[in-house]
Amino acid sequence: MGCGVTKTSEFNKRCDRAMKAAVLIQRWYRQYVARMEMRRRYTWNIFQSMEYSDLQDQIKLYNFLGYLVDNFTPSSSERNLISHIFRENEVCRDAEWERYFSYTNIDVPDIYSGPRLTFPLDMDQAADLVEAFKNKQQLHSRYVLQLLLETWKLLRVLPNINRVSTCHSKEITICGDLHGQLEDLLLIFYKNGMPSLEKPYVFNGDYVDRGKDSIEILLILFAFLLVHPGDVYLNRGNHEDHIINLRYGFTKEVLGKYKMHGKRILKLLQKIFSWLPLVTVIDHRVLVVHGGISDTTDLGLIARVDRHRYVSALRPPKKKNASRSNLYTDTAINEMIFCKNRRGSLTFPKQFGSRDSFQRRSLQDFSSTVARTVEEELEVRRRQAEFSLSSFSMSHRNLNSLSSESDPDSSENTETSNEEWKQILDLLWSDPMSQDGCIPNEIRGGGCYWGPDVTEDFLNRHNLQLIIRSHECKQDGYEFCHNRKVLTLFSASNYYDVGSNRGAFVRLGPDLVPYFVQYQATSMTRGLSFPQSVKRTEHTALKVLREQLFAHKSQLISAFQEFDKEKTGLISLNNWASAVEQVLHLDLPWRVLRPQLVSDTTDSMLNYYCWFRDLALKKPSSENVEQTLLETLYRHRSTLETIFRIVDTDNSGLISFEDFRQTLKLLSAYLKMEISDEAINDLVISTDTNNDGSIDIDEFMEAFRLVDRTRLESSRSLQMFKQENQDQPQEEETQQTADYASPQTAVSQNADSAGQQTADSPDSQAADSAGSQTEDTCHNSLVPPQ
Amino acid sequence: MQLRSFAEGIKLLKDHSHCFLSSHTLIFAVMAPKKPEPKKEAAKPAPPPEPEKPKEPEFDPKSITIEFTAEQIEEFKEAFLLFDRTPTGEMKITYAQCGEVMRALGQNPTNAEVLKVLGKPKPEEMTSKLIDFETFLPMFQHVSKSKDQGTFEDFVEGLRVFDKEGNGTVMGAELRHVLATLGEKMTESEVEQLMTGLEDGNGCVNYEAFVKHVMTV
């Protein structure tokens, strides 16, 4: 201590000073921590609302497709485009599938240095595969197809419900969503060991989409499944669905990595996904399912369904002679259920107002109408005799094999199908909520929100004690709810962005007491100091917020003008916050966020026109295009992009001008907007086509990026700060000295220092290093069952 | 540099390096060691307690007049709601979170001051009892008027006490010891978080840089 020992009074004085100093430091530190926490929380809220609006995009897409289906007949002028969009894959018999997916004539060149698999696979090969992917190698398409075929053969004999037991004192490891984040899977293997006889694993779905290594994750999981079929259990998630994949990146990834054989691989995966088991039950006590349950979930029924019929959330099993009236009952019911006063979803606990005036259809409803169209489509094709007779009759037979040919009670079959369909949707798409009851999940468009009473009832009925599910990102990687009877487990760390959340996995021994391990992959932050990596996260969140603001520019301006009747262009900060919330309904702390979003304020009044000037699209040429059109397109850009990619059947990245034009016209008709041919032309010109009658999709989407103003803002505000505090030394943005190292290392109680990879990894580039450069935080929590 | 108002604090927040603590477990409900029960006093507002005074008047929320503007109150409310962790969104926080929220809003009371405005609750009440925003506001008002905020200079001076060689650095080990044993003791993990990355090769901490960092969040 800094106390002297010579004279008593001197001693006392020094101790006193030391004491005061200590208190001061402690106070200031605690304040720092509290402010950090606040920022962490609102950044998290932004990410969650991001996810919400992202899900809304999905609904928009479905609604748009539904509109197309409803309003355009095969005889209308957009027929080509629409049939393009809804082109059903050719349906063939199994034997034909095998031939289609044959890999034997795919040659593997000598220069290929990746793994060369021989079947049956063994543990060494599986481990080599993991190692290869860690080193950024890609598996050759021949082996991919072979591996997938073997997987398919195995999956077909698995039941809908995996049953696992923790006998022989085995601990079972359960992992949640991975979403293409290979690093997290490698981290799990590093911390926990790879799957084996001694180390059984259950993977709870959502292996693909969003992350960039989805195919690698699948290949690894399938490889282990083949090597240890009794010790690796895979559940299906809602992202194991080829239409969802179109929207969320998996399709793009595969086609990018496998240019020649990507389409075949995707088709095979389509089948494989439909054959993935639906749930896993451990020791007859614990249910592991991706989404959740509903008040009608019945495991007995689940055990009996033909799960492979349910290929996609958008395409239910084909029904013959499905009458219109049957199909639309669902519509009517669903549209009547508007939960305006819904509160209590654990992800979105606050009340929502009504959003854009989209018809809120459920997936179930929409999928019925698509089925009808497919039916019609086939009729059209039949008339045109595009199919050879033999293949057609095969497909037609297949089509009908699911509903009985001798069809006196076809309506009953439809009912059963619908019921089964709902059961599966509920399993894969539902979310828990805090209030009792069970209501349709209109945010996701499928499944429901279920309450604690439903959990209680379900567990009692099936004699279970715990539900482990995934499907929702949690900040700490896991979270209990419903009286600790439902556990949400999420294994993709940094899901929204670097530093947004940890991932977790759980181990269950025979006592069924969950043991959690949390982690956070940090290869993305390599080369960045801690404050820099943290800045990135906030930057991303704010960027997305700004996009939302821009997308609603006209509405916001109208709302501001309500407060500013004299049209001075100025609005008070309080009114600004109210108006923004009124328009966006994101339930964010706007006043707290305001300094990050708005820099121009004088006397606490905001000039909103200036503000919008700052919030502009990157490409200046887009100024030629009419503002409202641009805003609308901007708001629906993800729908547009998805349609473009569906239409781009040869995956060239280009679509024809005609398809582009028709898509826009359809969208505008749907939105009841006028769009002239001139406006479309302007749009095309401003996105700089390559003048050969085709439009580059990526380039077009690129036009919808907002100007990145943060650099400008922060430098401007630094000026202001400097002026006000002239005695203070300058704060540099890249200051290294007082940086805090990543807090993950600081907090860890059982940190494995071995987890830190040194620079002898072959690829220690900044953004790319995979594998075991990890930050480990071990958080041991013994949780009593129930 | 004194953070007089929330708005100023937020401006600083905006202007400087954003540090983002991703680990939830970094936030600890820090509690001062259990204090002896105060003697019963007439309910009157009093200046923040200083360690030397043996008698501490109790805190009476009714005696506080709110001086914040409506706009400020809206801002505080937003921040308050950010910390609501009740499963049904009741718009309440626990006693234990009170200090945290006050600090997030730009004040820096000692734990003792926080406990005082909370009415000296028992330790077990800290995590079980909840307060809503209306109850919180007078407490916060009181704390914001505390004159004993401590400026940037005070803070640096405080650290300088431990700067034996007068060269702008303190020994990391000493600082750790002091923070964990004196004043409103910090837990080992709190100290660890604070100190990580600060010490140079010789185990010394350049405290002016450190202070800047902590102050400009």
Side-chain angles (χ1 to χ4, degrees):
Chain A
M1 272 224 7
C3 295
V5 288
T6 45
K7 297 176 187 173
T8 318
S9 63
E10 181 72 21
F11 177 78
N12 282 340
K13 210 164 75 173
R14 285 222 192 135
C15 280
D16 202 36
R17 274 170 65 200
M19 170 84 154
K20 281 199 167 149
V23 171
L24 201 53
I25 297 169
Q26 288 155 347
R27 280 162 69 180
W28 277 110
Y29 176 68
R30 288 179 176 132
Q31 192 203 64
Y32 164 76
V33 165
R35 292 168 82 116
M36 276 297 119
E37 174 65 6
M38 183 172 78
R39 297 172 63 159
R40 186 182 71 102
R41 286 182 186 229
Y42 72 59
T43 305
W44 177 257
N45 286 4
I46 294 175
F47 283 136
Q48 294 267 275
S49 75
M50 227 168 99
E51 174 119 16
Y52 170 71
S53 63
D54 191 45
L55 293 172
Q56 284 288 305
D57 278 348
Q58 201 170 310
I59 304 282
K60 286 177 197 169
L61 174 64
Y62 296 153
N63 286 341
F64 178 51
L65 292 177
Y67 166 82
L68 292 181
V69 163
D70 285 344
N71 291 286
F72 291 90
T73 64
S75 57
S76 56
S77 54
E78 287 83 2
R79 172 183 167 272
N80 281 333
L81 176 67
I82 297 186
S83 61
H84 229 166
I85 295 173
F86 291 109
R87 175 166 308 166
E88 176 64 38
N89 294 315
E90 301 91 69
V91 186
C92 328
R93 260 196 171 165
D94 288 346
E96 297 206 355
W97 279 116
E98 291 232 29
R99 202 173 346 122
Y100 180 75
F101 296 124
S102 169
Y103 53 85
T104 43
N105 35 12
I106 303 180
D107 283 327
V108 184
D110 290 333
I111 55 163
Y112 169 71
S113 59
R116 290 168 188 258
L117 304 177
T118 56
F119 290 80
L121 285 181
D122 58 26
M123 192 57 194
D124 287 334
Q125 291 194 74
D128 283 345
L129 194 60
V130 176
E131 195 60 30
F133 289 151
K134 199 196 283 190
N135 297 328
K136 305 265 157 231
Q137 290 176 317
Q138 190 172 302
L139 186 65
H140 194 276
S141 45
R142 179 201 172 100
Y143 301 120
V144 174
L145 284 167
Q146 198 172 359
L147 179 62
L148 292 180
L149 271 174
E150 294 300 313
T151 306
W152 179 38
K153 286 186 203 161
L154 172 55
L155 288 176
R156 286 166 66 192
V157 303
L158 293 182
N160 297 341
I161 302 184
N162 289 321
R163 296 206 178 262
V164 195
S165 95
T166 58
C167 58
H168 312 306
S169 312
K170 269 199 276 199
E171 267 191 331
I172 299 183
T173 308
I174 303 155
C175 300
D177 291 23
L178 288 165
H179 280 302
Q181 299 188 187
L182 180 61
E183 207 180 61
D184 286 306
L185 182 60
L186 295 174
L187 187 36
I188 294 173
F189 285 166
Y190 177 78
K191 292 180 76 61
N192 199 51
M194 292 200 251
S196 68
L197 279 172
E198 273 66 49
K199 206 150 268 288
Y201 271 82
V202 177
F203 291 95
N204 203 11
D206 275 12
Y207 314 116
V208 302
D209 281 331
R210 298 187 197 265
K212 60 176 180 55
D213 296 311
S214 302
I215 187 70
E216 279 75 26
I217 289 192
L218 281 182
L219 293 170
I220 291 176
L221 295 181
F222 292 158
F224 280 112
L225 176 67
L226 290 171
V227 176
H228 294 290
D231 298 291
V232 174
Y233 300 91
L234 303 179
N235 285 345
R236 187 176 183 184
N238 64 308
H239 276 260
E240 274 70 60
D241 177 331
H242 66 285
I243 297 201
I244 306 286
N245 299 150
L246 262 171
R247 163 93 176 78
Y248 287 101
F250 179 50
T251 309
K252 197 170 167 183
E253 178 193 325
V254 172
L255 294 172
K257 288 179 177 170
Y258 293 98
K259 294 198 181 354
M260 264 189 71
H261 301 283
K263 285 170 100 168
R264 281 205 279 164
I265 292 174
L266 285 170
K267 262 210 197 139
L268 188 43
L269 280 170
Q270 197 178 306
K271 290 191 78 62
I272 285 178
F273 286 162
S274 71
W275 276 106
L276 284 169
L278 296 170
V279 304
T280 299
V281 176
I282 302 177
D283 283 353
H284 307 289
R285 284 275 169 277
V286 177
L287 176 71
V288 186
V289 62
H290 176 74
I293 60 172
S294 73
D295 52 358
T296 55
T297 299
D298 176 358
L299 288 183
L301 208 155
I302 300 287
R304 293 192 298 269
V305 304
D306 286 327
R307 68 182 188 272
H308 66 281
R309 291 164 57 186
Y310 303 89
V311 176
S312 161
L314 275 185
R315 300 235 163 100
K318 328 295 193 268
K319 298 188 253 301
K320 189 187 179 195
N321 301 327
S323 67
R324 263 183 187 257
S325 54
N326 267 350
L327 293 167
Y328 284 117
T329 43
D330 275 353
T331 319
I333 292 170
N334 284 321
E335 282 175 12
M336 282 194 286
I337 302 172
F338 268 91
C339 289
K340 289 225 170 102
N341 294 318
R342 181 185 64 75
R343 286 193 75 209
S345 151
L346 292 169
T347 311
F348 304 111
K350 308 286 190 245
Q351 211 161 341
F352 285 120
S354 59
R355 301 193 64 84
D356 294 346
S357 53
F358 286 110
Q359 266 182 313
R360 293 188 195 194
R361 294 171 181 242
S362 73
L363 286 174
Q364 215 171 328
D365 150 64
F366 173 59
S367 53
S368 317
T369 52
V370 173
R372 177 177 56 80
T373 310
V374 167
E375 205 66 34
E376 278 183 13
E377 259 281 281
L378 275 169
E379 278 301 300
V380 168
R381 289 188 189 179
R382 182 188 176 190
R383 272 187 249 116
Q384 293 174 351
E386 277 177 12
F387 275 59
S388 75
L389 199 60
S390 58
S391 65
F392 172 72
S393 58
M394 261 193 266
S395 57
H396 197 70
R397 202 180 310 144
N398 229 27
L399 210 66
N400 295 328
S401 65
L402 309 165
S403 47
S404 69
E405 212 103 31
S406 59
D407 224 17
D409 40 4
S410 73
S411 57
E412 219 178 84
N413 265 333
T414 312
E415 297 251 340
T416 321
S417 290
N418 266 344
E419 172 62 28
E420 292 181 356
W421 186 225
K422 179 187 188 294
Q423 291 272 334
I424 296 185
L425 274 186
D426 287 341
L427 289 178
L428 266 40
W429 288 80
S430 300
D431 292 311
M433 65 175 176
S434 53
Q435 318 127 278
D436 282 346
C438 189
I439 53 180
N441 189 328
E442 78 242 1
I443 300 226
R444 296 195 190 262
C448 42
Y449 289 115
W450 89 91
D453 57 335
V454 177
T455 298
E456 193 69 37
D457 182 58
F458 175 82
L459 292 177
N460 287 335
R461 254 187 300 130
H462 293 92
N463 215 4
L464 299 167
Q465 72 189 45
L466 173 66
I467 298 175
I468 299 181
R469 44 91 61 175
S470 304
H471 200 40
E472 285 180 300
C473 181
K474 294 296 175 190
Q475 214 155 13
D476 292 315
Y478 73 94
E479 192 174 278
F480 277 104
C481 65
H482 293 190
N483 246 325
R484 299 190 83 92
K485 295 199 176 154
V486 174
L487 168 66
T488 302
L489 185 64
F490 198 82
S491 301
S493 67
N494 304 323
Y495 178 63
Y496 293 124
D497 201 347
V498 173
S500 66
N501 65 291
R502 290 195 279 184
F505 61 88
V506 67
R507 292 207 285 258
L508 283 182
D511 55 1
L512 296 181
V513 170
Y515 174 100
F516 296 96
V517 177
Q518 296 159 299
Y519 52 83
Q520 196 155 9
T522 55
S523 75
M524 282 190 273
T525 58
R526 184 160 285 268
L528 296 174
S529 69
F530 177 60
Q532 284 176 324
S533 71
V534 154
K535 234 193 228 182
R536 267 191 53 181
T537 319
E538 206 166 1
H539 179 87
T540 307
L542 293 171
K543 184 171 89 125
V544 168
L545 252 198
R546 263 182 247 120
E547 287 173 3
Q548 283 291 313
L549 291 165
F550 178 82
H552 292 87
K553 195 161 156 174
S554 316
Q555 287 166 277
L556 284 168
I557 291 191
S558 311
F560 293 154
Q561 285 173 342
E562 285 295 306
F563 288 106
D564 175 32
K565 295 264 164 47
E566 292 97 55
K567 305 238 170 40
T568 59
L570 295 175
I571 186 174
S572 77
L573 294 176
N574 231 1
N575 290 339
W576 173 85
S578 318
V580 172
E581 179 56 31
Q582 207 178 302
V583 171
L584 290 187
H585 300 293
L586 290 175
D587 198 34
L588 290 173
W590 294 106
R591 292 168 187 83
V592 174
L593 290 169
R594 199 248 336 137
Q596 310 277 23
L597 297 170
V598 183
S599 47
D600 261 324
T601 55
T602 31
D603 296 328
S604 74
M605 293 293 280
L606 194 158
N607 182 327
Y608 51 89
Y609 287 119
C610 284
W611 180 50
F612 274 119
R613 261 213 307 276
D614 284 351
L615 211 60
L617 281 185
K618 223 180 193 173
K619 287 207 168 175
S621 57
S622 56
E623 277 168 19
N624 293 334
V625 184
E626 195 218 7
Q627 182 58 36
T628 22
L629 171 62
L630 210 54
E631 255 179 64
T632 310
L633 291 180
Y634 186 81
R635 227 179 305 174
H636 298 271
R637 64 197 188 283
S638 79
T639 301
L640 273 179
E641 183 172 4
T642 310
I643 303 278
F644 290 157
R645 294 205 188 279
I646 295 177
V647 163
D648 174 25
T649 42
D650 60 357
N651 305 111
S652 56
L654 304 170
I655 63 168
S656 74
F657 179 68
E658 190 50 33
D659 280 340
F660 176 79
R661 201 185 63 79
Q662 283 192 5
T663 305
L664 285 183
K665 286 208 97 85
L666 286 171
L667 185 62
S668 60
Y670 171 53
L671 297 170
K672 301 194 177 54
M673 272 189 63
E674 285 296 314
I675 177 168
S676 63
D677 281 338
E678 284 164 62
I680 297 186
N681 284 337
D682 282 343
L683 204 57
V684 167
I685 291 167
S686 71
T687 57
D688 198 21
T689 68
N690 45 10
N691 287 328
D692 62 354
S694 62
I695 291 176
D696 186 313
I697 301 176
D698 283 322
E699 223 180 302
F700 181 73
M701 297 318 300
E702 205 29 58
F704 289 113
R705 291 210 195 286
L706 293 188
V707 172
D708 183 350
R709 287 264 158 185
T710 38
R711 289 245 142 235
L712 289 172
E713 273 188 5
S714 53
S715 62
R716 210 185 308 154
S717 51
L718 190 58
Q719 268 308 112
M720 286 181 353
F721 176 66
K722 279 190 216 165
Q723 281 163 10
E724 286 171 23
N725 297 275
Q726 281 164 9
D727 50 327
Q728 296 307 319
Q730 280 192 24
E731 173 92 54
E732 283 175 308
E733 283 198 327
T734 53
Q735 164 178 302
Q736 299 279 343
T737 46
D739 285 352
Y740 275 41
S742 171
Q744 292 96 313
T745 45
V747 205
S748 54
Q749 292 154 11
N750 308 326
D752 311 17
S753 51
Q756 296 281 345
Q757 175 110 349
T758 51
D760 50 342
S761 152
D763 298 317
S764 44
Q765 295 151 16
D768 270 359
S769 312
S772 44
Q773 297 111 3
T774 59
E775 298 289 348
D776 296 347
T777 326
C778 277
H779 183 94
N780 304 341
S781 119
L782 285 181
V783 179
Q786 190 258 352
Chain B
M1 169 172 56
Q2 197 167 345
L3 295 175
R4 290 189 185 280
S5 73
F6 176 64
E8 193 178 81
I10 288 296
K11 187 152 76 171
L12 288 174
L13 223 165
K14 168 191 73 171
D15 292 347
H16 294 275
S17 318
H18 309 309
C19 281
F20 177 81
L21 296 175
S22 49
S23 167
H24 182 67
T25 55
L26 290 175
I27 306 309
F28 298 91
V30 177
M31 302 207 265
K34 192 164 159 59
K35 297 215 149 87
E37 288 298 310
K39 304 177 185 71
K40 291 295 171 197
E41 296 285 342
K44 257 195 145 84
E50 292 168 47
E52 290 83 63
K53 279 195 184 163
K55 291 193 181 179
E56 298 175 13
E58 280 183 11
F59 173 73
D60 176 20
K62 295 188 211 40
S63 62
I64 302 290
T65 36
I66 304 295
E67 292 171 14
F68 298 122
T69 66
E71 293 212 1
Q72 284 176 307
I73 294 180
E74 283 304 309
E75 281 185 84
F76 299 160
K77 198 167 187 180
E78 272 185 358
F80 181 88
L81 293 178
L82 271 177
F83 285 84
D84 172 9
R85 278 255 142 149
T86 54
T88 45
E90 293 163 47
M91 312 217 294
K92 294 186 177 162
I93 60 173
T94 64
Y95 272 32
Q97 288 176 290
C98 241
E100 194 180 17
V101 178
M102 291 185 185
R103 290 170 181 130
L105 286 172
Q107 301 304 318
N108 62 344
T110 60
N111 286 342
E113 285 165 356
V114 174
L115 288 175
K116 177 167 184 284
V117 296
L118 282 173
K120 308 269 178 60
K122 307 186 186 50
E124 54 272 15
E125 290 180 321
M126 293 299 283
T127 43
S128 57
K129 280 181 93 164
L130 301 174
I131 62 167
D132 60 12
F133 183 69
E134 281 64 41
T135 320
F136 171 80
L137 195 55
M139 298 179 187
F140 184 61
Q141 175 75 77
H142 179 80
V143 163
S144 344
K145 298 188 83 173
S146 161
K147 296 182 184 58
D148 186 21
Q149 297 274 355
T151 63
F152 175 82
E153 286 78 23
D154 289 338
F155 194 6
V156 174
E157 278 309 303
L159 282 161
R160 213 187 294 282
V161 166
F162 306 106
D163 180 3
K164 293 217 192 58
E165 295 169 34
N167 58 359
T169 65
V170 297
M171 286 301 297
E174 179 161 358
L175 196 51
R176 280 172 201 261
H177 178 76
V178 164
L179 294 176
T181 53
L182 288 191
E184 297 194 322
K185 300 172 195 165
M186 287 167 61
T187 65
E188 219 178 285
S189 3
E190 276 184 307
V191 173
E192 191 55 45
Q193 276 162 48
L194 173 62
M195 300 296 299
T196 305
L198 287 186
E199 291 154 302
D200 63 16
N202 300 325
C204 294
V205 175
N206 175 326
Y207 55 84
E208 278 209 31
F210 163 59
V211 166
K212 239 188 341 175
H213 186 82
V214 167
M215 295 282 281
T216 58
V217 158

